[in-house]
Amino acid sequence: MKRVLLTSIAAALFAAACSHQPVQKSAALPEGVRFVEAVSATEDGITIPYKKYQLSNGLTVLIHEDHSDPLVHVDVTYHVGSAREEIGKSGFAHFFEHMMFQGSEHVADEEHFKIITEAGGTLNGTTNSDRTNYFQTVPANQLETMLWLEADRMGFLLDAVTQQKFEVQRETVKNERGQRYDNAPYGLLRERVAEALYPEGHPYSWQTIGYIEDLNRVNVNDLKAFFLRWYGPNNAVLTIGGDVDVAQTLKWVDKYFGSIPVGPAVTDMEKMPAKLDNDRYISMEDNVHLPLLYINFPTVYAFHEDEAALDILAEIMGQGKTSLLYQNLVKNQIAVQASASHPCAELACNFTMLALPNPALMQGKTLADLEAVIRKTLVEFEQRGVQDDDLIKAKAKLEASKTFGLESVSGKVSQLAYFETFLDDANYVGKDLKRYQNVTKADVMRVYEQYIKGQKAVIMSIVPKGAKQLIAHEDTYTPKPRTLPEYAPIGDTDLVYRRPQDNFDRSVKPQPGQAPGVNLPKTWTEKLANGIEVLGAEYDETPTVSLSVELNVGHRHVPVEKAGLAQLTAAMMNETTKNYSNEQFALELEKLGSSISFSAGDNYSSLNVSSLSKNLDKTLQLAVERLLNPAFTEADFARVKAQAIQGIEHSKKQPTVTANNAFSKLLFGATHPLGQPSSGTVESVKALTLDEVKAFYAQYFSPSVASIVVVGDVPKAKLLKQLNVFAEWPAQNVAQPGLPKANTLGKTRIYLIDKPGAAQSEIRIGNHALPYDATGEYYRAGLMNFNLGGAFNSRINLNLREDKGYTYGARSGFSGAEDYGYFSAGAGVRTDATDKSIVEFLKEIRSYREQGMTEAELQFLKNAIGQRDARAYETPSQKLNFLFQMMRYDLKPDFVDQQQKILREISLEELNQLANKLLDVEQMQIVVVGDAKAVLPGLEVLGYEIVRMDAEGNVL
């Protein structure tokens, strides 16, 4: 649980500190609400302005006003995570996060997601070892409804928790574990390390997801007891931020939360950093391509006086191209990846180092050789010491990261909630920054000497199956078998409910006020001297600038036999330039706190730049150096190419990637550029040469196919002068090849890719569809799909996840570009439900096509999509995406108004006609990636032709 430091908007960022206002008179507040403090902006520090209150039942309330956008963010954080679970009942905190979305006494089953979605909002919940939070961002007129919802599940949940809901969500949690842990390469790393690092029974000795055996043995009353113990208002912080009226908000908070009875007392847990007497070597075989070495030193705990220095030590050791691990492992091609970090949680922190070796250098070697290099790197740091630039770049990075973190109200709210929950001090942002600013060279060397040098660690080796000989050391530690207490079921009479007493009818859902208007970015357009079009928007809430140089060149421009060339060229553009070595460039960039990176996709290549506005001139000089003066050295090419190949090999172990690649190959064909992965294949990338990269750059990187989108707090005139550095780029004509014809697909078939032993199956179903059109049939098709598979409450997701428990999530949708498009539906499902999931997918699509959506679904669609634009343009990144969409498809800003008009006027008949036209399940191809031995018998019963494919989507 590593914190991201966030602060308030720009006005508060550089002229803000704690100013505690006088205590207000109680008469000004609703009865039962007590004013605690107010923090506002002053001249000598940094803070997030807020007001703090407390209800008589112990609920802490924080309110942050931000009227820059017509939205609000509501967060309820409970000080309970997996660390407060009982032995043998792991996973309860996360399990309960799921149950909190299943309806409460006055909110019907499946209604929580539906209400927020229909309000134009977005929502989620997260659980870690120390806290669970629930949050939603909605248009400002929906605030009362959000408070009503959160209060109802805090005070009236348990009567709505049924055995059936319990069973379905238990399966959903198992599916989540399968998808993120058991079926993911290296997915069990942290679970195994925690078992070795902490003694049995330590609160961090199990993962938040929990153990399947624990989830299997409990009943619904165990879960209810967990709620009654930890989900009282006195163990919660309610934080509200955005376009709010404080007085009215407090009235609503008092109305909906004030009568909820106080829960059992909650005290802070004892800090429990791990302690080791000896190095503990552990290992496991996994379905991975590359071995992995992971070293974990126990250190302190969150907010300990040494935490900041340890964080900076991790930056020096293993963050970025100037770090020691990068220099000694990645640059030298000993490893394809190496890093260090210092993750912290409430009770304990750990200093970790990770490396994946370059297989070209593994002949005759093991992870012990990699460990030796890492150990020597620690000695090198000790002899080298901390340099001035180490602190400068670490602190600059911190300033930049927290400044960019100010861009959303959700970011500010989450920080207030975090600091209040763990420190009882929401006004800790400035203090947190200062403890990093105050770190000295001596501090960093001291924590190295105290916590790393000569200290014991857990060293884990993960190796491919059958390659046990590659581990760093024979195992010296084996966790004892879990000793579970005898299970004693909790009966209904053992539960004592706390029932609020109200003087109003909670079953009446609040009616929102008038929907707020949408603040579309005010845009401007200019051209540089060499013809580059610039589309910009001013943004003055943070002192930052974000821009992208977009090049109309990507994977689609590459011959099939050279697949991967566009991405490899982009990767080379991130390397040495003619005037800077990698280390020099990285150091200059890090000292500015800026980021510059190239990337390439199917259709475009992008140069992405983020900078504090005060550093924009220097940052743009570096960006132009990257763009115009790539050195394209043989050493860089050898390393980057090796990394690309290993990335492809790694992706083969990821079922989601395998399924997506196979589906694309089916749609477009093996001889079509888009039928090959943009990363290329091992064979195609191995064959690429440095001369081909240089030729691709020379042919396609030109102002004639470039445009710039930019958002920042710099005035247009000044910004254009700064952007003139790109005007020196000489123009040349670039031919744009068209796409060949895609595959013609016939009747429905099942294409099966074997993944022996897979815990889940990945399913993709779909066919060709419409090219992108912002206001045409493509846009309307997206509207049509919303109720089928485009929302949490869609038919597909409710069926497969909420009703059947087959999956963690299922979806469908239309995707497209200017000249191609497709429809796809998919999910990762339980292996034993593979055939049944396909049946349900096809049943829902067929029913939707034949019977259409209902009037109620039409209204839900119109409400949800009609109101969500209120939160669509809040941050610079959202504005940048909006500008790029306009630039790419030659749209005027009023295309949003046109879409809203279409939405208001579209009829049920038109949408149902589209469903009938576009959703023919007899012409959809089905890809399944799973354990063929387990799933094939069920698939054969479905009656479709089954075609076997290899891991790269080639028919066998």
Side-chain angles (χ1 to χ4, degrees):
M1 182 187 65
K2 196 62 188 172
R3 298 181 309 287
V4 178
L5 301 177
L6 307 177
T7 60
S8 182
I9 59 176
L13 174 63
F14 294 107
C18 176
S19 175
H20 295 274
Q21 297 178 355
V23 176
Q24 300 174 4
K25 295 181 179 179
S26 59
L29 299 173
E31 186 177 354
V33 177
R34 179 175 65 89
F35 172 78
V36 179
E37 67 175 355
V39 171
S40 58
T42 59
E43 293 295 329
D44 57 351
I46 297 174
T47 193
I48 304 172
Y50 67 89
K51 293 179 181 177
K52 178 179 176 180
Y53 305 88
Q54 192 168 62
L55 304 191
S56 57
N57 57 12
L59 178 67
T60 297
V61 182
L62 303 171
I63 301 178
H64 165 70
E65 289 186 78
D66 178 355
H67 301 287
S68 58
D69 291 282
L71 54 84
V72 293
H73 185 80
V74 178
D75 176 291
V76 181
T77 296
Y78 295 88
H79 195 173
V80 58
S82 57
R84 294 187 186 267
E85 294 164 349
E86 300 175 35
I87 298 174
K89 295 183 179 181
S90 65
F92 265 39
H94 173 253
F95 194 165
F96 213 92
E97 177 208 315
H98 282 250
M99 296 303 299
M100 287 281 277
F101 291 99
Q102 299 308 304
S104 47
E105 185 173 328
H106 307 104
V107 180
D109 297 354
E110 318 302 347
E111 283 293 305
H112 194 102
F113 269 94
K114 184 177 181 181
I115 288 170
I116 296 176
T117 303
E118 190 169 20
T122 183
L123 71 158
N124 212 333
T126 66
T127 310
N128 62 29
S129 58
D130 307 311
R131 64 99 186 99
T132 306
N133 70 338
Y134 305 88
F135 50 89
Q136 45 269 310
T137 306
V138 294
N141 65 316
Q142 301 288 344
L143 174 57
E144 184 183 6
T145 303
M146 299 307 105
L147 297 175
W148 171 74
L149 281 170
E150 288 290 0
D152 209 64
R153 59 182 178 181
M154 179 185 285
F156 297 88
L157 183 82
L158 293 188
D159 283 335
V161 176
T162 64
Q163 186 67 35
Q164 180 181 4
K165 290 181 184 178
F166 173 82
E167 296 297 346
V168 169
Q169 291 309 310
R170 173 153 55 184
E171 291 305 312
T172 300
V173 171
K174 291 180 185 178
N175 284 318
E176 183 177 354
R177 180 181 169 103
Q179 181 174 317
R180 295 183 173 179
Y181 291 74
D182 302 324
N183 208 39
Y186 315 109
L188 295 176
L189 167 65
R190 285 175 176 79
E191 182 170 88
R192 298 294 173 85
V193 169
E195 292 169 346
L197 181 64
Y198 298 106
E200 183 181 9
H202 188 286
Y204 292 169
S205 63
W206 57 83
Q207 297 298 286
T208 302
I209 195 72
Y211 293 105
I212 293 293
E213 61 182 318
D214 291 1
L215 295 172
N216 282 338
R217 75 180 196 144
V218 298
N219 67 28
V220 67
N221 284 339
D222 291 297
L223 210 64
K224 290 182 177 181
F226 187 85
F227 175 89
L228 289 169
R229 174 64 186 92
W230 300 110
Y231 273 73
N234 51 305
N235 196 35
V237 175
L238 168 63
T239 310
I240 304 160
D243 191 11
V244 299
D245 178 297
V246 174
Q248 180 59 70
T249 299
L250 286 172
K251 291 178 183 178
W252 288 332
V253 169
D254 182 54
K255 175 181 179 179
Y256 295 115
F257 290 90
S259 63
I260 299 174
V262 65
V266 177
T267 58
D268 290 340
M269 299 181 70
E270 178 186 354
K271 309 301 183 185
M272 288 183 271
K275 296 180 181 179
L276 299 173
D277 294 329
N278 297 287
D279 284 335
R280 293 181 175 181
Y281 285 89
I282 59 174
S283 63
M284 68 174 286
E285 296 179 49
D286 196 5
N287 186 24
V288 298
H289 168 63
L290 286 179
L292 178 148
L293 182 70
Y294 186 83
I295 302 175
N296 186 311
F297 292 93
T299 59
V300 290
Y301 50 83
F303 303 111
H304 185 279
E305 60 183 5
D306 290 338
E307 181 193 9
L310 284 161
D311 284 350
I312 291 179
L313 174 62
E315 285 280 336
I316 298 168
M317 289 299 304
Q319 295 295 314
K321 291 184 177 180
T322 59
S323 70
L324 295 178
L325 288 179
Y326 183 90
Q327 291 295 308
N328 291 349
L329 289 166
V330 180
K331 184 180 179 181
N332 293 338
Q333 298 191 56
I334 295 172
V336 297
Q337 181 181 336
S339 63
S341 62
H342 185 238
C344 270
E346 184 179 14
L347 310 181
C349 305
N350 300 284
F351 189 95
T352 68
M353 292 180 288
L354 174 152
L356 285 83
N358 186 337
L361 301 180
M362 286 297 288
Q363 283 83 6
K365 296 184 178 181
T366 71
L367 291 177
D369 297 284
L370 200 62
E371 181 187 358
V373 178
I374 293 175
R375 299 282 188 182
K376 289 179 181 177
T377 302
L378 291 174
V379 174
E380 177 186 343
F381 167 75
E382 181 181 349
Q383 295 171 345
R384 159 194 183 275
V386 181
Q387 300 175 353
D388 290 339
D389 283 342
D390 291 333
L391 294 184
I392 292 172
K393 67 183 184 182
K395 294 176 182 181
K397 180 178 178 180
L398 174 65
E399 178 188 359
S401 65
K402 72 180 197 55
T403 303
F404 279 98
L406 311 179
E407 295 171 343
S408 69
V409 68
S410 63
K412 291 177 283 185
V413 163
S414 66
Q415 277 301 286
L416 290 172
Y418 176 80
F419 289 128
E420 182 63 31
T421 298
F422 293 108
L423 294 173
D424 296 321
D425 183 5
N427 186 43
Y428 193 78
V429 178
K431 302 169 192 174
D432 209 6
L433 173 62
K434 286 180 181 177
R435 67 189 183 121
Y436 286 87
Q437 291 174 330
N438 292 337
V439 170
T440 65
K441 295 180 183 179
D443 291 329
V444 178
M445 291 306 301
R446 176 179 54 77
V447 297
Y448 168 77
E449 297 275 350
Q450 183 173 348
Y451 301 104
I452 309 301
K453 182 182 178 181
Q455 298 302 311
K456 307 307 179 184
V458 172
I459 303 99
M460 181 165 192
S461 302
I462 297 180
V463 297
K465 290 184 178 180
K468 191 75 171 178
Q469 73 278 4
L470 296 179
I471 64 174
H473 192 287
E474 65 180 27
D475 290 6
T476 62
Y477 180 81
T478 301
K480 297 178 181 178
R482 298 179 68 224
T483 53
L484 303 181
E486 183 177 348
Y487 177 63
I490 296 175
D492 292 340
T493 58
D494 297 322
L495 302 172
V496 181
Y497 288 11
R498 303 184 295 271
R499 301 188 182 278
Q501 300 297 318
D502 293 310
N503 57 6
F504 67 98
D505 186 356
R506 283 187 183 261
S507 66
V508 178
K509 186 178 77 169
Q511 294 301 306
Q514 184 176 354
V518 177
N519 294 340
L520 283 176
K522 295 180 179 179
T523 63
W524 50 265
T525 304
E526 292 288 347
K527 276 192 176 181
L528 302 183
N530 56 355
I532 296 179
E533 186 176 358
V534 181
L535 181 57
E538 194 166 335
Y539 173 83
D540 61 2
E541 294 179 36
T542 57
T544 60
V545 176
S546 297
L547 69 87
S548 292
V549 179
E550 300 289 348
L551 294 147
N552 189 2
V553 55
H555 176 58
R556 64 185 290 162
H557 295 75
V558 176
V560 170
E561 65 275 12
K562 295 182 180 180
L565 179 57
Q567 280 200 5
L568 193 62
T569 302
M572 286 296 292
M573 298 291 287
N574 291 320
E575 297 297 324
T576 307
T577 71
K578 293 177 180 177
N579 298 303
Y580 290 86
S581 69
N582 265 321
E583 295 75 22
Q584 290 169 336
F585 194 96
L587 179 59
E588 291 302 312
L589 199 59
E590 289 170 345
K591 287 163 70 174
L592 296 171
S594 302
S595 67
I596 298 172
S597 64
F598 268 94
S599 62
D602 284 344
N603 303 289
Y604 275 79
S605 296
S606 303
L607 169 61
N608 300 301
V609 180
S610 295
S611 173
L612 298 177
S613 53
K614 65 181 181 180
N615 295 333
L616 183 59
D617 282 328
K618 293 181 180 179
T619 302
L620 290 180
Q621 290 172 10
L622 291 171
V624 170
E625 175 70 16
R626 272 258 193 265
L627 179 63
L628 302 187
N629 296 312
F632 292 138
T633 68
E634 289 285 357
D636 285 341
F637 181 71
R639 175 170 35 78
V640 169
K641 181 176 174 178
Q643 290 172 332
I645 292 170
Q646 297 314 314
I648 296 167
E649 293 283 14
H650 173 67
S651 71
K652 292 180 182 179
K653 302 296 184 179
Q654 298 176 283
T656 54
V657 177
T658 301
N660 291 337
N661 288 346
F663 183 68
S664 294
K665 184 169 284 189
L666 275 178
L667 285 180
F668 297 102
T671 60
H672 191 288
L674 299 182
Q676 298 292 334
S678 58
S679 58
T681 65
V682 171
E683 292 73 21
S684 69
V685 174
K686 278 185 176 179
L688 293 175
T689 66
L690 182 57
D691 284 341
E692 287 172 326
V693 168
K694 293 177 180 178
F696 187 78
Y697 171 81
Q699 180 178 0
Y700 286 112
F701 280 60
S702 167
S704 62
V705 293
S707 55
I708 296 175
V709 288
V710 57
V711 176
D713 73 333
V714 181
K716 172 185 173 182
K718 180 179 178 181
L719 186 56
L720 282 171
K721 289 181 180 180
Q722 293 173 307
L723 293 176
N724 269 331
V725 293
F726 293 105
E728 301 171 6
W729 189 9
Q732 66 181 44
N733 292 327
V734 175
Q736 290 286 355
L739 283 176
K741 187 178 180 180
N743 259 357
T744 299
L745 303 174
K747 65 180 182 179
T748 299
R749 295 179 177 86
I750 295 176
Y751 294 84
L752 176 61
I753 298 174
D754 188 19
K755 211 74 167 170
Q760 285 190 315
S761 297
E762 284 290 335
I763 297 172
R764 300 293 183 271
I765 302 171
N767 205 340
H768 295 291
L770 305 163
Y772 178 86
D773 185 338
T775 56
E777 198 170 58
Y778 178 89
Y779 173 71
R780 290 168 170 82
L783 300 179
M784 176 270 288
N785 175 74
F786 188 76
N787 285 297
L788 174 62
F792 183 89
N793 284 75
S794 66
R795 294 186 186 186
I796 287 174
N797 194 58
L798 289 184
N799 182 336
L800 273 76
R801 171 178 161 142
E802 298 300 292
D803 294 343
K804 304 293 193 309
Y806 292 164
T807 180
Y808 181 54
R811 67 279 176 194
S812 68
F814 291 86
S815 300
E818 300 91 329
D819 47 5
Y820 67 87
Y822 57 89
F823 168 82
S824 66
V829 304
R830 285 187 351 231
T831 295
D832 67 339
T834 302
D835 55 329
K836 294 187 283 288
S837 296
I838 292 174
V839 169
E840 296 304 321
F841 263 118
L842 297 180
K843 183 186 77 174
E844 292 295 350
I845 297 170
R846 184 180 290 112
S847 172
Y848 203 72
R849 182 189 187 218
E850 294 173 354
Q851 301 172 24
M853 72 172 68
T854 65
E855 285 285 355
E857 286 176 321
L858 176 64
Q859 194 57 50
F860 173 66
L861 156 73
K862 290 189 173 186
N863 289 341
I865 295 181
Q867 297 184 85
R868 70 185 183 187
D869 278 352
R871 56 180 177 84
Y873 311 104
E874 179 191 9
T875 66
S877 63
Q878 289 175 308
K879 290 177 168 64
L880 209 63
N881 289 335
F882 173 69
L883 296 182
F884 177 60
Q885 186 180 14
M886 288 174 56
M887 181 80 76
R888 177 176 179 181
Y889 297 109
D890 194 24
L891 301 172
K892 303 299 181 186
D894 67 354
F895 84 89
V896 176
D897 298 328
Q898 296 176 47
Q899 289 180 337
Q900 286 288 328
K901 185 174 185 293
I902 293 169
L903 178 65
R904 289 193 302 270
E905 297 178 355
I906 201 163
S907 67
L908 193 63
E909 180 182 13
E910 182 178 356
L911 291 170
N912 289 342
Q913 286 175 349
L914 271 176
N916 186 267
K917 174 183 176 181
L918 299 173
L919 299 177
D920 184 0
V921 294
E922 304 308 322
Q923 298 294 318
M924 291 188 183
Q925 306 308 305
I926 303 170
V927 173
V928 177
V929 179
D931 186 342
K933 182 179 179 181
V935 305
L936 186 57
L939 296 180
E940 290 174 334
V941 175
L942 300 183
Y944 297 105
E945 178 186 354
I946 298 176
V947 180
R948 300 296 292 267
M949 304 178 81
D950 64 20
E952 294 189 357
N954 300 309
V955 174
L956 296 175

